[in-house]
Amino acid sequence: MTALVWVLVVAFVVLAALVVTGLVLGARAMRRLQVKGADKGQGQAVDDALAKVEDANAKVEDANAKVDDANAKAASVRAEAAAAKAEASSARAEARRVLEAAHSEADTILEHAHRQAEADAEQVRTAARRQGEREVALLNTTAKEQAAEVERRAARIDERERQHADEVERLVERERRLASMDSDLVARETALAGRESELSAAEEAKRRELERIAKLTADAARTELVESIEVSAKREAAILVRDIENDAKATADSRARRIVVDAIQRIASEQTAESVVSVLHLPSDEMKGRIIGREGRNIRAFESVTGVNLIIDDTPEAVLLSCFDPVRREVGRLTLEKLVLDGRIHPHRIEEVFESAKGEVEQLCDRAAEEALVDVGITDLHPELAKLLGRLRYRTSYGQNVLKHLVETAHIAGIMAAELGLDVPSMKRAAFLHDIGKALTHEVEGSHALIGADLARKYGESEDVVHAIEAHHNEVQPQTIEAVLTQAADACSGGRPGARRESLEAYVKRLERIEEIAAGKTGVEKVFAMQAGREIRVMVRPDDIDDIGAAVLARDVAKQIEEELTYPGQIRVTVVRESRVTELAR
């Protein structure tokens, strides 16, 4: 039975139990009424009992109604169960029909599959038969070709054996000829040995006869001949060098002058050199006392934090900042300038302003390096090299700003390279980085050229660029055209009028040393340094030095000046040899 039928059965049982309980309670009430019928209160009890009986009858009727409902629901459930059984029977019949249809269709499919398999097997057998026939034909053809190849190889072997036999015969004939030639050579050697002995005796007789006639030994004659040839060769070599130099100057001076002048004219640079500012102007002299602070605590704190010496003297409304590091000096100057404008000067405020000024200077250096790289056209420089380039913004050489000097040198080198048909980007890169070592000259010992070359090599620059950097001051002999053009562009940028300046004392010492070098040579009469030390004129005595000696003297003086002195640009050495003849007419 289903769950609904069980529920209805349970409900019927419960209702029957309620009816039985009501009847039992009614019987007990009637029995009590019969026993106590005498007194007055019995009538009221009877009424109550009757009321209860009526309630029980009502409940019995409700229970009967519910039982009827339950019977009706049970009947409907049984009807539904019968319908479900009928549907199950029809479903089983349909399943049997479908199963029979599936069996029939499966038999059909199996029969079709058997027929298809037989047809496929027949096709495979036919294809295998054809493939076997083809392979047999191919094997027959291959066997025929191999047989023909064996016949050809046998023919070639026979031909080669015949050639070997002919070669053996030729070698035997050649050996016979060589044996006869050896015998002839032995005879000729014997004759030549006798001839050489006769010639040696004749030469010895000739030498003794010459010594007797010249009254000189062979060694003395050889020495005298060598000396005369050496003097003549030196003179001819000097003349040849002079002619070659004149020819080279005649063809190269005009072109070199045109290239250099064109490069310099196309670079629009400032004619006055920049200098790092180390003097700070104050609004009043009262500010000096605030900068010094109570018992000098402010100035001590400033020098300890910035590393810059602050010099306060009697100069009105100005203080001097001194430091060997130009970047540190600029940070100190900017720090003091901000403190003066703010007015609050004490140790803690100095530290705060110093950090702010340090960041600003670093940003200015980075921005200056980026602008220089954009100006030159370099985009793939290592960040560390770019940072070092930014530090050159506050570095000067003979009063010329080094970073601007690098940009100017790169442009000049690029123009020269374009005129000569060279690689312009590589040439500009070498010229732009040639003074990168000046950013570390106060931190690393050594020449700035060699320091810069080590930096460039460390950060992946090419060997041509590294060599141009290390050779631009001749610490290393220049071996490439990039190195030579870097030297030329550096000289053009540093040697143009107004580009650099030097102290009066160093200038005077350099001129004196130039005159001393020239005056120390043999045959020099007078020496004059002219054009601010860019030209030196040497007057020589004509009796002591001839024209060839004058050329040699000019070259020696120029070489010694290059080795001993450091100077911007170039120095021209002119040797003047003048002969004067005076006669009086009476």
Side-chain angles (χ1 to χ4, degrees), residues 27-48:
R28 287 181 179 179
M30 290 296 294
R31 195 178 294 117
R32 289 177 182 176
L33 289 175
Q34 290 176 2
V35 174
K36 297 180 180 181
D39 54 5
K40 184 180 179 178
Q42 289 180 351
Q44 183 67 30
V46 171
D47 293 336
D48 294 335

Side-chain angles (χ1 to χ4, degrees), residues 288-319:
K288 292 183 179 180
R290 301 179 63 181
I291 293 174
I292 295 173
R294 182 181 300 174
E295 297 179 357
R297 67 168 186 171
N298 290 345
I299 191 172
R300 286 195 301 271
F302 180 85
E303 291 180 349
S304 63
V305 171
T306 62
V308 178
N309 293 328
L310 190 59
I311 302 174
I312 301 177
D313 52 15
D314 296 336
T315 304
E317 299 181 354
V319 293

Side-chain angles (χ1 to χ4, degrees), residues 62-271:
D62 291 337
N64 291 329
K66 291 181 179 179
V67 168
D68 295 335
D69 292 337
N71 291 328
K73 288 182 180 179
S76 66
V77 168
R78 283 193 295 274
E80 290 178 357
K85 288 180 180 179
E87 290 179 358
S89 299
S90 64
R92 282 193 295 272
E94 181 68 20
R96 282 193 297 271
R97 186 183 63 79
V98 170
L99 183 60
E100 291 175 356
H103 283 302
S104 176
E105 185 176 358
D107 293 338
T108 304
I109 291 172
L110 287 174
E111 184 179 359
H112 180 71
H114 285 307
R115 288 197 299 269
Q116 183 68 28
E118 290 177 356
D120 292 342
E122 184 63 26
Q123 291 179 357
V124 169
R125 284 193 295 272
T126 304
R129 189 182 306 109
R130 292 176 181 175
Q131 181 68 23
E133 292 175 355
R134 283 197 299 270
E135 289 181 356
V136 169
L138 180 61
L139 289 175
N140 292 331
T141 304
T142 305
K144 292 179 181 179
E145 292 178 353
Q146 289 179 353
E149 180 67 21
V150 168
E151 292 178 357
R152 288 194 296 271
R153 288 184 179 179
R156 286 198 297 270
I157 290 171
D158 295 338
E159 180 66 21
R160 190 172 298 172
E161 288 179 352
R162 186 181 60 79
Q163 292 177 356
H164 285 172
D166 296 340
E167 184 69 22
V168 169
E169 292 178 358
R170 286 195 298 271
L171 290 175
V172 171
E173 181 63 24
R174 186 175 180 182
E175 286 180 358
R176 285 197 297 268
R177 289 198 303 270
L178 289 175
S180 63
M181 291 174 65
D182 287 340
S183 61
D184 293 340
L185 287 175
V186 170
R188 287 184 182 183
E189 287 179 356
T190 304
L192 287 174
R195 185 72 179 273
E196 285 180 358
S197 61
E198 293 176 359
L199 288 176
S200 298
E203 286 182 358
E204 182 65 23
K206 184 178 179 181
R207 185 180 62 79
R208 287 196 297 269
E209 184 64 20
L210 288 175
E211 289 179 355
R212 185 184 64 78
I213 295 172
K215 296 181 180 180
L216 289 174
T217 64
D219 294 336
R222 188 181 297 108
T223 303
E224 185 176 351
L225 180 61
V226 169
E227 290 178 355
S228 63
I229 293 174
E230 184 179 359
V231 173
S232 177
K234 285 183 177 180
R235 184 174 183 85
E236 291 178 0
I239 294 173
L240 181 61
V241 169
R242 183 186 64 185
D243 294 340
I244 292 174
E245 288 180 351
N246 292 334
D247 293 340
K249 288 179 181 178
T251 57
D253 279 351
S254 59
R255 187 181 180 193
R257 188 178 297 108
R258 179 180 61 81
I259 293 174
V260 172
V261 170
D262 182 44
I264 293 177
Q265 287 178 349
R266 289 169 63 180
I267 302 300
S269 300
E270 297 85 352
Q271 291 297 319

Side-chain angles (χ1 to χ4, degrees), residues 365-366 369 381-392 436 439:
C365 291
D366 295 340
L381 191 67
H382 195 280
E384 293 297 328
L385 290 179
K387 186 176 294 185
L388 292 176
L389 283 173
R391 298 177 64 178
L392 295 178
I436 186 67

Side-chain angles (χ1 to χ4, degrees), residues 492-514:
C492 290
S493 175
R496 63 183 178 83
R500 295 183 175 183
R501 64 171 182 266
E502 56 185 338
S503 63
L504 177 61
E505 183 180 359
Y507 168 73
V508 172
K509 287 184 178 180
R510 179 163 59 84
L511 294 187
E512 290 178 351
R513 181 55 187 159
I514 290 174

Side-chain angles (χ1 to χ4, degrees), residues 522-524 540-551 553 575 577:
T522 304
V524 175
V540 299
R541 290 185 290 272
D543 297 336
D544 297 338
I545 297 179
D546 56 5
D547 291 340
I548 305 301
L553 176 63
V575 177
R577 180 177 179 271

